[in-house]
Amino acid sequence: MDVGQLFSVDPLESRAAKGHGVVTSMAAGNDVILLGTSKGWIIRHDFALGDCQNLDFAPGRPGEQPVHRVFVDPGGSHCIATVVISGVAETFYMHAKWAKPKSLPRLRGILVNAVAWNRQLITESSTKEVILGTQNGQLFEVAVDEAEKREKYVKQLFELSDPREPITGLEMETTSVGNSTRFYVMAVTATRLYSFTGIGSLESVFARYAERRIHFMELPGEIPNSELHYYIVQRRAKHFGWLSGAGIYYGDLNFGVQHSSSGGDENFVENKGLLDYSKLSEPVSGEVIKPRSLAVSEFHFLLLVRDKVKVVNRISQKVVEELTFDRESSKGIIGICSDPTARVFYVYDDYSVFQVSTRDEGRDMWRVYLDRGDYAVALSNCRSPYQRDQVYLVQADAAFAIKDYYRAASYYAKMNYVMSFEEISLKFITVGEQDALRTFLLRKLDNLTREDKSQITMISTWVTELYLDKINRLLLEDGTSTNADREHDSSEYESIVQEIRAFLSDNKDVLDEATTMKLLESYGREDELVYFASLKDKYEIVIHHYIQQGEAKKALEVLQRPNVPVDLQYKFAPDLIMLDAYETVESWMMARAMLNPRRLIPAMMRYTNEPHAKNETHEVIKYLEFCIKDLHNEDPGVHNLLLSLYAMKDDETQLLQFLDMKHAKVGSSGPAFFYDPKYALWLCLKEKRMRACVRIYSMMSMHEEAVALALKVDLDLAKAEADKVEDDEELRKKLWLMVAKHVIQQEKGTKRENIKKVVDFLSEANNNLLSIEDILPFFPDFVLIDDFKDEICKSLKGYKNQIEQLKEEMNDATRGADSIRSDINALSQRYIIIDRNEECGVCKRKILGTRGAQQMGSSYMSGGNIAPLYVFPCSHAFHAPCLIAHVTRCTTHAQAAYILDLQKQLSLMENRPSNDPAGEPVSSTTSIEKIRSQLDEAVASECPFCGDLMIREISLPFILPHESEEAASWAIKPQIAPFPKILPMTI
C-alpha cells in the first residue's frame, strides 16, 4: 500500500479566524470526500472536478456546533450529516448540486450514528430507501428526492430493547426475487451484530420481527468504536468486517443462496472467522491494543492502532505492513474512511487527510492460500506459471510422500519450470512405479502444445513402450496366479489393451510410423500392429495379415473402405479368390464400376486353372456375367474369358446363348459383340463345340464354311444357316445348292422313295429359290426322267408366267413414252393472257408499258416498244430488270454474282459491232441465246413470290446495312424547349 498526503486544512490560527474548527468526521464516495468540523462546517472536495467548497451547516449560531457524523452515498451525490446545535441533534440533507443544505425537521433531536444506502436502486436524483441508525438503538427509513428538497417520508422500522445500545454501524443489500425485492440489513452495536432479511418493503420486513426472534451474533468486550464495513465490487458486497470488543468478526456474503438458521432466520454469511487482537500485539512489549477504526479491502483489514495503520491479511490473519504518517501538529489520527467506488482509503486527523491506495494487493494471496492448504483457491490467485508450478509441486510432493503416486503424477505433469522432466521421471523410476510414470507421461502429453512436436513424439513413443511392458507383465503374472487373480488380471489386461489402442488412435499423427511398428512387432503384438497400420492407412500390412490368418472377409472389409487405394484390390485378388471365392466375387460386384475387370483377369485365370476349383468356376462366371450384363463392359479380354469358361462346359446352351446375345448398349452404333471371333472359333474347335463354331462362322459372314460345318452336325442347322442370308440371293442359292447336294449324296439318289425325299426337300427352299434344273446335275446319269416329271412341268409353267409378265411390262413402258411425247408437244403451245392494267410485282408500274428507262438489249425480245417481262404460271408478272434486281438482292452472294456476270456478258455481246477486226464474228446468235437461257434459268426458274426465294426472305432484316442512314433520318429526336421569354412588368 502506498501513502501520500492529499491536502492539509489551513493552519490552526487561520482556521480559528475563519471559524472552521478541527475535523470531527469524514466520508468519501466516487472521488468526493466530506470533512465535518467542530464549528458546524463541512468541507467538500471533488477530486474529479478539482473543486473545494466550505459549507456552513449551523449558520448564525454562536459557540461550538460540532458535526457528529457525515455520510455520503457511493456515487458522491447525496450527503446526510448530523450536527449537534446547542445540545440538540439536527440532521441535514444536501445534494451535490445544491449550494446550501436542507434540514430534515422530522429527525430533529435524533442523533444519527450510521446510514445504510440502497446501492442497487439509488440514483443521482433520488436516494430511494435509506436506513438510519441512531444513538437510541432505533432504525428509521427515510427517502429524499433532489427535486422536492425535503424528505418524502420518515418511518421508524425497529427499536432495540434488550439491551438498548446505540447502533454504530449499518449496511444494506437488495436482490430481485421475481417481481419483489429481498432486503438484507446488518446492524452492529458495541457487543452485537444483528441481521435482518425478508421480501417486500422495508416496513413489512421489519414488521415481521415483532413476532419472530431476531438473529444476532454477540461478542462481548469493550471497544472504543464499534464499526461495520462492507467490501463493495460493482455495487455488490462481497465480504464484511465488524470491529468488535472481542476481535474482528468477518465473513463472505452470499445474497443469492440463503440458509435457514436454527432460529428460523435466513443466514447469508459464509466462511466466518474472528481475528483476535492478540495477533496485533507490539513485537517488543507484547502489549495488545484494540484498534480505534477499521477499513476493509479485497484481501486485508486496515486497522488504526494508535497513530499507525496496520494492514492485516484477512486470510492468514498476519500483519503484512505498517503505515506511518508525518504530522507536524495533531493530537493523533482520528479515523479511517474508505471510498468503495474509487477503491481508495483515507486516514485523517485534526488537520490533515492522507490517501492510502492499493497496488496489486492480491499478488501474494496464492502463497497465503497455499500455506493454508487451500490449493484450488491458491491456483485461482496465481499470476504466473511459476507460481502455479509451486502450488502443483506442493500438492505433488504431498501425494508422493503418502505413496499416492497416480495423483502425484497428475500434479507433476502440470509443472513446467520448478522441476525438470528428467527429475520427475527419475523419481518414479527410482521407486519402480511404471504405471505412475505412464500416468505422468500421459498427463504431460495433455499439457504440451503443438509447437513441442519433438517432445510429443518422444513421450508418445515412451508411453507406447510402457503400455507394451505392462501387457507383458500381466501375461507373465497370469501364468503364476490363482483363478481369482486370473479373472482380475484378465479384466485388467483387456482394459490395458483398450487403453493402448485408444492411445494409438489419439496419437497416430505424432507417433513415428517406423519406430512404432518396429516396437509393436518386437513385443509380438500383431493385433495392435494391424490396428496401428490401419490407423496410418497402411492397408497393405493389414490385408496381408488377415490373409495369413485366413480371414478373407475381414480383408475384404478393409478393401471396401473408401480411402483404400484400388490397386490393392488387384494386388490381393489372386489370394483372396483362392481363399474365399464367393465373398471375393460378392465384394467385386459391390464395387461395381470402381474396379476394372480386365485387371482381375489374372486372378480369375489362376482360380479357374486350379484343380480344386474345377466345379466352382461358376463364381467367376457370375462376376463376368455381371460385368457384361449389368455394367455393359466392352473389354474384349473379359468377353473372351467368359467365352472360354462357357466353352469348357459340357452343356453348350450357355455358350450358344452368349454367342447369340447382343452385348452393345441400346442405341449404340458399335459392334454387337466384343469378343475376338477368331479366338472364339479356335477355342470352340479345340473344345469340339461344333454348333458354336457354326454360329461364329455365320457372325463372321463366312456362310459357306458355316453351312459346310453345319452339314456335318445337323441338316436342320445347315438349312437355318442357309436361310440367314437374305440380301444376297446368289449366295443364298449357292448355300441351298450345297445343302441339296449333301441331301442327294446322303440319300444315294437311286431308289424312287429317296428321289421323292429330294423332291420334297426342293419345295422347302423359300420363294422357289431352287428349281429342278439346278439340282439335276447332282443326280447320277442313270436316274429316270419320269421321277422328275412333275417338277419339270412345274418349272416350265413358271417360265411361261415370267415371259407373260415381261411382255406386260414392255407394253406399259411403250404407253408411258407416248404420254410423255404428247405432254412435251402441248407444253410448246401453252400461253398466258395478261391484262393491260396488270402491274409489275416489284415496281408496281404497268407490265405492258413502253420500254423507256427499262431499255434492254435489242435482241432480248422480238420487237415493239413493250418492255421485256417475265410471266409465271401463278399469274405473277415482272419487268425483266425488276425481277433481276429483286432476285439479286434476295438470293445468296454467290448466286447474285453469277447473275450479274451473265447479265454483263449478255450486254457486251449485244453492244459490240458484228465483225471483229480480224474478220471473224465476235458473237453469234447461238452464244447469245445460250447465255440468255442461262440467265432465264438463274432468274426465272421459279416465281420469287411463290417459291423458295420468298421463304428465304424471312431471315433477311427489314433494314439492310446500306439503308442505315435512311433509317436514322426517321428517328424521333426530343425537342428542346426554348427558354421562356421574360417580359418586363410595370406596376
Side-chain angles (χ1 to χ4, degrees):
M1 300 217 177
D2 297 328
V3 180
Q5 184 174 354
L6 293 178
F7 62 90
S8 299
V9 184
D10 294 337
L12 182 59
E13 294 78 15
S14 61
R15 182 164 54 251
K18 293 180 180 180
H20 287 172
V22 297
V23 177
T24 58
S25 179
M26 180 177 177
N30 198 20
D31 278 338
V32 175
I33 63 172
L34 295 124
L35 299 173
T37 69
S38 60
K39 297 291 186 178
W41 287 83
I42 290 182
I43 303 173
R44 187 180 190 277
H45 188 91
D46 191 334
F47 292 101
L49 300 177
D51 181 32
C52 184
Q53 294 177 312
N54 296 330
L55 305 172
D56 188 2
F57 272 61
R61 295 184 176 90
E64 293 290 330
Q65 314 292 334
V67 176
H68 176 66
R69 288 284 190 274
V70 60
F71 308 96
V72 67
D73 75 295
S77 298
H78 307 281
C79 169
I80 295 177
T82 300
V83 181
V84 180
I85 302 174
S86 301
V88 179
E90 289 276 356
T91 302
F92 293 88
Y93 168 79
M94 182 174 178
H95 194 272
K97 297 180 180 179
W98 295 358
K100 293 182 179 181
K102 182 69 175 178
S103 174
L104 303 178
R106 298 183 188 181
L107 297 175
R108 183 183 300 273
I110 298 174
L111 189 62
V112 178
N113 288 336
V115 173
W117 304 96
N118 191 341
R119 284 183 292 271
Q120 278 66 45
L121 301 179
I122 194 171
T123 63
E124 185 179 356
S125 61
S126 176
T127 62
K128 300 298 181 182
E129 300 91 342
V130 179
I131 303 177
L132 307 180
T134 69
Q135 184 70 18
N136 295 329
Q138 297 172 318
L139 295 177
F140 289 90
E141 179 186 357
V142 65
V144 182
D145 282 343
E146 183 263 337
E148 296 180 2
K149 296 187 178 181
R150 64 183 181 85
E151 68 272 31
K152 295 176 64 176
Y153 58 82
V154 175
K155 302 176 184 178
Q156 182 174 340
L157 300 175
F158 190 77
E159 184 175 0
L160 300 177
S161 57
D162 186 21
R164 189 168 184 172
E165 296 179 320
I167 295 176
T168 58
L170 192 62
E171 292 287 354
M172 173 174 55
E173 281 287 340
T174 60
T175 58
S176 296
V177 181
N179 295 327
S180 302
T181 302
R182 181 186 292 275
F183 288 91
Y184 306 89
V185 180
M186 294 182 71
V188 297
T189 63
T191 58
R192 288 186 179 182
L193 183 147
Y194 295 91
S195 60
F196 306 90
T197 181
I199 299 175
S201 64
L202 274 175
E203 188 175 10
S204 63
V205 170
F206 280 94
R208 297 190 190 103
Y209 282 94
E211 300 176 357
R212 60 192 292 192
R213 193 175 70 86
I214 304 173
H215 184 268
F216 64 89
M217 167 67 67
E218 186 171 10
L219 293 176
E222 296 181 0
I223 189 72
N225 184 26
S226 177
E227 297 180 5
L228 175 66
H229 295 284
Y230 278 2
Y231 173 69
I232 310 297
V233 177
Q234 295 180 350
R235 292 192 176 188
R236 180 66 67 188
K238 297 300 181 182
H239 52 262
F240 74 96
W242 171 33
L243 183 64
S244 68
I248 299 176
Y249 181 70
Y250 61 90
D252 296 331
L253 298 172
N254 188 350
F255 300 108
V257 179
Q258 290 76 39
H259 307 282
S260 297
S261 64
S262 58
D265 290 325
E266 293 174 328
N267 189 9
F268 45 87
V269 179
E270 299 176 343
N271 303 324
K272 307 169 188 176
L274 181 65
L275 173 62
D276 195 287
Y277 293 135
S278 61
K279 297 181 180 180
L280 307 177
S281 59
E282 296 294 331
V284 178
S285 63
E287 181 183 5
V288 177
I289 302 175
K290 295 181 180 181
R292 292 186 291 116
S293 186
L294 166 70
V296 181
S297 70
E298 184 177 5
F299 297 107
H300 298 86
F301 296 126
L302 280 70
L303 302 176
L304 178 59
V305 181
R306 292 182 177 172
D307 288 342
K308 297 179 181 179
V309 173
K310 292 189 176 184
V311 181
V312 181
N313 189 282
R314 182 168 53 88
I315 306 303
S316 65
Q317 297 188 354
K318 294 180 180 179
V319 178
V320 297
E321 194 172 356
E322 287 189 359
L323 306 177
T324 59
F325 307 92
D326 294 332
R327 294 174 292 105
E328 296 180 357
S329 59
S330 175
K331 294 181 180 179
I333 300 297
I334 298 174
I336 304 175
C337 175
S338 65
D339 184 346
T341 305
R343 295 194 183 185
V344 295
F345 304 92
Y346 300 100
V347 179
Y348 62 96
D349 60 9
D350 293 342
Y351 305 104
S352 305
V353 176
F354 299 87
Q355 178 181 325
V356 180
S357 58
T358 61
R359 287 187 180 178
D360 194 15
E361 63 168 317
R363 60 181 177 271
D364 295 325
M365 289 307 298
W366 69 273
R367 174 66 69 182
V368 175
Y369 286 112
L370 179 61
D371 294 340
R372 288 168 53 90
D374 198 345
Y375 302 118
V377 183
L379 286 173
S380 65
N381 284 274
C382 290
R383 305 293 180 84
S384 66
Y386 183 80
Q387 293 175 359
R388 284 192 290 272
D389 279 6
Q390 288 184 314
V391 178
Y392 292 137
L393 177 61
V394 173
Q395 292 178 275
D397 288 344
F400 196 90
I402 61 175
K403 297 184 179 181
D404 189 354
Y405 297 113
Y406 289 101
R407 191 157 62 92
S410 299
Y411 289 130
Y412 279 130
K414 297 178 181 180
M415 294 189 301
N416 296 310
Y417 304 101
V418 177
M419 288 185 68
S420 65
F421 174 81
E422 294 79 5
E423 290 176 328
I424 299 172
S425 302
L426 189 59
K427 285 175 70 72
F428 291 108
I429 295 173
T430 303
V431 296
E433 284 294 329
Q434 300 292 332
D435 295 341
L437 176 60
R438 187 178 71 248
T439 301
F440 164 70
L441 296 176
L442 288 172
R443 300 296 179 271
K444 193 67 178 178
L445 281 176
D446 294 338
N447 297 328
L448 292 175
T449 60
R450 293 182 179 180
E451 287 73 17
D452 306 323
K453 293 183 180 179
S454 300
Q455 192 172 1
I456 290 174
T457 300
M458 290 187 293
I459 294 177
S460 300
T461 306
W462 193 1
V463 170
T464 304
E465 186 173 8
L466 290 175
Y467 270 121
L468 295 173
D469 179 68
K470 176 67 174 180
I471 292 174
N472 277 1
R473 285 190 281 113
L474 290 174
L475 292 174
L476 291 175
E477 292 173 1
D478 185 56
T480 60
S481 59
T482 62
N483 292 335
D485 293 337
R486 284 196 190 103
E487 293 180 2
H488 177 268
D489 292 343
S490 176
S491 62
E492 187 178 2
Y493 171 80
E494 294 295 333
S495 176
I496 291 297
V497 170
Q498 293 299 324
E499 284 187 27
I500 189 174
R501 291 199 173 197
F503 177 79
L504 292 174
S505 177
D506 294 339
N507 296 273
K508 60 183 177 65
D509 296 329
V510 298
L511 284 167
D512 182 70
E513 181 180 315
T515 304
T516 305
M517 287 188 174
K518 186 175 181 181
L519 192 61
L520 293 170
E521 184 179 3
S522 65
Y523 276 86
R525 303 302 301 178
E526 292 186 4
D527 292 339
E528 283 69 35
L529 175 61
V530 171
Y531 179 77
F532 182 72
S534 178
L535 293 174
K536 297 295 289 184
D537 296 340
K538 296 296 180 181
Y539 301 108
E540 188 171 350
I541 298 175
V542 179
I543 298 169
H544 182 71
H545 170 77
Y546 285 137
I547 291 176
Q548 285 186 332
Q549 298 295 323
E551 298 179 348
K553 195 168 184 179
K554 290 185 177 179
L556 290 170
E557 289 175 356
V558 175
L559 285 171
Q560 290 172 358
R561 296 178 185 176
N563 53 344
V564 176
V566 70
D567 289 341
L568 295 182
Q569 291 270 16
Y570 309 126
K571 181 175 182 178
F572 291 102
D575 296 329
L576 288 171
I577 198 171
M578 295 299 296
L579 193 61
D580 192 335
Y582 174 78
E583 292 292 343
T584 303
V585 169
E586 288 295 323
S587 174
W588 291 350
M589 292 170 66
M590 287 177 61
R592 297 187 68 82
M594 293 176 60
L595 293 178
N596 183 2
R598 184 180 185 85
R599 299 186 63 179
L600 296 173
I601 290 177
M604 293 186 283
M605 291 290 295
R606 176 184 173 186
Y607 176 76
T608 55
N609 291 332
E610 290 292 330
H612 69 277
K614 184 175 182 181
N615 298 325
E616 298 179 2
T617 56
H618 63 277
E619 293 297 334
V620 175
I621 292 175
K622 179 175 70 174
Y623 176 67
L624 294 174
E625 289 176 344
F626 171 77
C627 293
I628 293 173
K629 295 178 181 178
D630 292 5
L631 303 182
H632 304 288
N633 186 278
E634 300 178 356
D635 193 313
V638 176
H639 289 254
N640 290 338
L641 178 58
L642 181 58
L643 183 68
S644 67
L645 295 178
Y646 282 147
M648 293 179 186
K649 286 192 170 186
D650 297 333
D651 187 1
E652 205 172 350
T653 304
Q654 286 184 306
L655 176 60
L656 294 175
Q657 290 176 351
F658 180 76
L659 293 174
D660 291 339
M661 188 184 304
K662 290 186 177 181
H663 304 297
K665 297 180 182 178
V666 178
S668 175
S669 59
F673 56 88
F674 301 99
Y675 54 84
D676 186 354
K678 295 180 181 179
Y679 169 75
L681 181 62
W682 172 83
L683 185 65
C684 292
L685 290 173
K686 177 184 175 183
E687 298 294 336
K688 297 181 180 181
R689 305 288 182 252
M690 296 305 173
R691 288 182 178 274
C693 292
V694 172
R695 203 69 53 86
I696 295 171
Y697 275 134
S698 178
M699 285 186 291
M700 295 173 66
S701 298
M702 301 174 66
H703 300 289
E704 295 183 30
E705 290 81 355
V707 172
L709 183 59
L711 290 173
K712 297 178 182 179
V713 179
D714 186 2
L715 179 61
D716 292 335
L717 178 62
K719 293 178 183 178
E721 289 298 323
D723 270 340
K724 286 183 179 180
V725 180
E726 297 179 354
D727 54 350
D728 190 346
E729 289 294 330
E730 183 179 355
L731 177 59
R732 186 162 174 262
K733 182 176 182 180
K734 183 178 181 181
L735 296 177
W736 273 102
L737 287 173
M738 292 174 62
V739 177
K741 183 178 180 180
H742 174 78
V743 172
I744 293 171
Q745 291 176 353
Q746 187 179 23
E747 299 296 337
K748 304 302 181 183
T750 56
K751 297 181 180 180
R752 183 176 294 274
E753 60 272 13
N754 294 339
I755 294 173
K756 189 174 186 309
K757 289 182 180 180
V758 173
V759 173
D760 292 338
F761 165 78
L762 188 63
S763 63
E764 294 182 11
N766 297 330
N767 300 324
N768 298 321
L769 183 65
L770 297 180
S771 60
I772 188 63
E773 61 269 23
D774 294 328
I775 64 173
L776 282 177
F778 301 138
F779 284 92
D781 295 338
F782 50 82
V783 176
L784 296 177
I785 196 66
D786 294 340
D787 298 330
F788 302 100
K789 181 177 65 175
D790 294 338
E791 291 297 323
I792 293 172
C793 292
K794 182 179 179 181
S795 178
L796 292 174
K797 185 177 180 180
Y799 285 138
K800 180 181 178 182
N801 293 335
Q802 290 179 7
I803 292 171
E804 293 295 333
Q805 185 177 1
L806 289 174
K807 288 181 179 179
E808 184 66 26
E809 290 177 356
M810 291 174 64
N811 292 332
D812 291 342
T814 301
R815 287 192 294 271
D818 294 340
S819 177
I820 291 172
R821 291 190 194 97
S822 175
D823 290 342
I824 292 173
N825 294 331
L827 184 62
S828 62
Q829 302 298 324
R830 189 175 59 176
Y831 62 91
I832 293 177
I833 299 174
I834 300 175
D835 188 85
R836 64 183 295 176
N837 295 322
E838 184 75 21
E839 295 180 350
C840 173
V842 176
C843 67
K844 302 303 179 180
R845 296 192 182 101
K846 290 183 179 181
I847 196 69
L848 298 178
T850 58
R851 298 169 67 94
Q854 300 176 356
Q855 179 69 32
M856 293 291 290
S858 59
S859 61
Y860 201 90
M861 58 182 296
S862 59
N865 293 325
I866 298 177
L869 56 89
Y870 288 97
V871 181
F872 293 92
C874 59
S875 299
H876 287 123
F878 303 90
H879 292 126
C882 295
L883 179 63
I884 293 172
H886 178 73
V887 173
T888 304
R889 181 174 62 86
C890 297
T891 190
T892 62
H893 180 73
Q895 183 69 10
Y898 173 69
I899 293 172
L900 294 175
D901 183 61
L902 290 176
Q903 191 177 14
K904 182 179 179 181
Q905 293 181 28
L906 184 62
S907 177
L908 291 174
M909 288 182 178
E910 290 178 344
N911 295 331
R912 284 190 178 182
S914 60
N915 291 326
D916 191 283
E920 295 181 0
V922 178
S923 61
S924 64
T925 305
T926 304
S927 59
I928 292 175
E929 291 298 330
K930 181 178 179 181
I931 293 175
R932 182 179 290 116
S933 175
Q934 292 176 354
L935 180 61
D936 291 342
E937 180 67 24
V939 174
S941 61
E942 60 178 357
C943 176
F945 288 174
C946 302
D948 294 339
L949 187 63
M950 175 59 72
I951 297 175
R952 288 197 298 270
E953 285 185 5
I954 296 175
S955 61
L956 294 177
F958 288 110
I959 300 175
L960 298 178
H962 65 274
E963 298 175 338
S964 58
E965 294 183 1
E966 180 69 18
S969 67
W970 285 87
I972 299 176
K973 299 180 181 180
Q975 294 184 358
I976 301 175
F979 288 103
K981 188 174 183 180
I982 302 174
L983 299 177
M985 181 180 295
T986 304
I987 299 177

